[in-house]
PDB file of all heavy atoms in Angstrom:
ATOM      1  N   PHE A 130      -1.452  20.823  17.729  1.00  0.00           N
ATOM      2  CA  PHE A 130      -1.631  21.948  18.637  1.00  0.00           C
ATOM      3  C   PHE A 130      -1.027  21.595  19.987  1.00  0.00           C
ATOM      4  O   PHE A 130      -0.968  20.435  20.365  1.00  0.00           O
ATOM      5  CB  PHE A 130      -3.123  22.259  18.806  1.00  0.00           C
ATOM      6  CG  PHE A 130      -3.794  22.614  17.517  1.00  0.00           C
ATOM      7  CD1 PHE A 130      -4.349  21.622  16.717  1.00  0.00           C
ATOM      8  CD2 PHE A 130      -3.853  23.923  17.101  1.00  0.00           C
ATOM      9  CE1 PHE A 130      -4.959  21.939  15.513  1.00  0.00           C
ATOM     10  CE2 PHE A 130      -4.471  24.253  15.899  1.00  0.00           C
ATOM     11  CZ  PHE A 130      -5.016  23.257  15.106  1.00  0.00           C
ATOM     12  N   GLU A 131      -0.653  22.630  20.702  1.00  0.00           N
ATOM     13  CA  GLU A 131      -0.029  22.436  22.013  1.00  0.00           C
ATOM     14  C   GLU A 131      -1.060  22.169  23.105  1.00  0.00           C
ATOM     15  O   GLU A 131      -0.758  21.524  24.098  1.00  0.00           O
ATOM     16  CB  GLU A 131       0.800  23.668  22.366  1.00  0.00           C
ATOM     17  CG  GLU A 131       1.717  23.473  23.528  1.00  0.00           C
ATOM     18  CD  GLU A 131       2.709  24.601  23.667  1.00  0.00           C
ATOM     19  OE1 GLU A 131       2.422  25.720  23.218  1.00  0.00           O
ATOM     20  OE2 GLU A 131       3.780  24.348  24.228  1.00  0.00           O
ATOM     21  N   ASP A 132      -2.278  22.676  22.913  1.00  0.00           N
ATOM     22  CA  ASP A 132      -3.295  22.492  23.952  1.00  0.00           C
ATOM     23  C   ASP A 132      -4.669  22.256  23.329  1.00  0.00           C
ATOM     24  O   ASP A 132      -4.897  22.513  22.147  1.00  0.00           O
ATOM     25  CB  ASP A 132      -3.326  23.687  24.908  1.00  0.00           C
ATOM     26  CG  ASP A 132      -3.541  25.000  24.196  1.00  0.00           C
ATOM     27  OD1 ASP A 132      -4.506  25.116  23.423  1.00  0.00           O
ATOM     28  OD2 ASP A 132      -2.743  25.932  24.409  1.00  0.00           O
ATOM     29  N   GLU A 133      -5.560  21.754  24.157  1.00  0.00           N
ATOM     30  CA  GLU A 133      -6.889  21.382  23.689  1.00  0.00           C
ATOM     31  C   GLU A 133      -7.710  22.599  23.250  1.00  0.00           C
ATOM     32  O   GLU A 133      -8.484  22.529  22.296  1.00  0.00           O
ATOM     33  CB  GLU A 133      -7.626  20.618  24.788  1.00  0.00           C
ATOM     34  CG  GLU A 133      -8.868  19.954  24.308  1.00  0.00           C
ATOM     35  CD  GLU A 133      -9.446  18.983  25.323  1.00  0.00           C
ATOM     36  OE1 GLU A 133      -9.000  18.980  26.494  1.00  0.00           O
ATOM     37  OE2 GLU A 133     -10.343  18.228  24.943  1.00  0.00           O
ATOM     38  N   LYS A 134      -7.532  23.729  23.910  1.00  0.00           N
ATOM     39  CA  LYS A 134      -8.260  24.944  23.545  1.00  0.00           C
ATOM     40  C   LYS A 134      -7.922  25.365  22.118  1.00  0.00           C
ATOM     41  O   LYS A 134      -8.810  25.724  21.341  1.00  0.00           O
ATOM     42  CB  LYS A 134      -7.974  26.082  24.515  1.00  0.00           C
ATOM     43  CG  LYS A 134      -8.773  27.336  24.165  1.00  0.00           C
ATOM     44  CD  LYS A 134      -8.443  28.497  25.058  1.00  0.00           C
ATOM     45  CE  LYS A 134      -9.195  29.758  24.747  1.00  0.00           C
ATOM     46  NZ  LYS A 134      -9.682  29.984  23.421  1.00  0.00           N
ATOM     47  N   SER A 135      -6.663  25.318  21.750  1.00  0.00           N
ATOM     48  CA  SER A 135      -6.251  25.688  20.382  1.00  0.00           C
ATOM     49  C   SER A 135      -6.871  24.748  19.353  1.00  0.00           C
ATOM     50  O   SER A 135      -7.315  25.185  18.286  1.00  0.00           O
ATOM     51  CB  SER A 135      -4.734  25.663  20.256  1.00  0.00           C
ATOM     52  OG  SER A 135      -4.148  26.583  21.143  1.00  0.00           O
ATOM     53  N   LEU A 136      -6.901  23.472  19.682  1.00  0.00           N
ATOM     54  CA  LEU A 136      -7.527  22.488  18.798  1.00  0.00           C
ATOM     55  C   LEU A 136      -9.024  22.782  18.654  1.00  0.00           C
ATOM     56  O   LEU A 136      -9.556  22.829  17.532  1.00  0.00           O
ATOM     57  CB  LEU A 136      -7.311  21.074  19.346  1.00  0.00           C
ATOM     58  CG  LEU A 136      -7.996  19.928  18.605  1.00  0.00           C
ATOM     59  CD1 LEU A 136      -7.425  19.757  17.206  1.00  0.00           C
ATOM     60  CD2 LEU A 136      -7.854  18.633  19.395  1.00  0.00           C
ATOM     61  N   ASP A 137      -9.707  23.021  19.759  1.00  0.00           N
ATOM     62  CA  ASP A 137     -11.136  23.336  19.727  1.00  0.00           C
ATOM     63  C   ASP A 137     -11.406  24.613  18.931  1.00  0.00           C
ATOM     64  O   ASP A 137     -12.352  24.674  18.136  1.00  0.00           O
ATOM     65  CB  ASP A 137     -11.695  23.483  21.147  1.00  0.00           C
ATOM     66  CG  ASP A 137     -11.729  22.166  21.908  1.00  0.00           C
ATOM     67  OD1 ASP A 137     -11.624  21.091  21.271  1.00  0.00           O
ATOM     68  OD2 ASP A 137     -11.844  22.216  23.145  1.00  0.00           O
ATOM     69  N   ASP A 138     -10.577  25.642  19.147  1.00  0.00           N
ATOM     70  CA  ASP A 138     -10.744  26.903  18.411  1.00  0.00           C
ATOM     71  C   ASP A 138     -10.579  26.687  16.908  1.00  0.00           C
ATOM     72  O   ASP A 138     -11.289  27.287  16.102  1.00  0.00           O
ATOM     73  CB  ASP A 138      -9.733  27.952  18.890  1.00  0.00           C
ATOM     74  CG  ASP A 138     -10.035  28.474  20.293  1.00  0.00           C
ATOM     75  OD1 ASP A 138     -11.144  28.207  20.817  1.00  0.00           O
ATOM     76  OD2 ASP A 138      -9.143  29.126  20.870  1.00  0.00           O
ATOM     77  N   PHE A 139      -9.655  25.826  16.533  1.00  0.00           N
ATOM     78  CA  PHE A 139      -9.440  25.514  15.120  1.00  0.00           C
ATOM     79  C   PHE A 139     -10.697  24.890  14.516  1.00  0.00           C
ATOM     80  O   PHE A 139     -11.159  25.288  13.447  1.00  0.00           O
ATOM     81  CB  PHE A 139      -8.234  24.583  14.961  1.00  0.00           C
ATOM     82  CG  PHE A 139      -8.013  24.116  13.551  1.00  0.00           C
ATOM     83  CD1 PHE A 139      -7.604  24.997  12.565  1.00  0.00           C
ATOM     84  CD2 PHE A 139      -8.199  22.785  13.214  1.00  0.00           C
ATOM     85  CE1 PHE A 139      -7.392  24.563  11.257  1.00  0.00           C
ATOM     86  CE2 PHE A 139      -7.987  22.341  11.918  1.00  0.00           C
ATOM     87  CZ  PHE A 139      -7.585  23.236  10.935  1.00  0.00           C
TER      88      PHE A 139
END
Side-chain angles (χ1 to χ4, degrees):
F130 300 89
E131 193 168 26
D132 56 53
E133 192 169 11
K134 182 184 180 334
S135 299
L136 175 66
D137 291 343
D138 289 348
F139 175 69

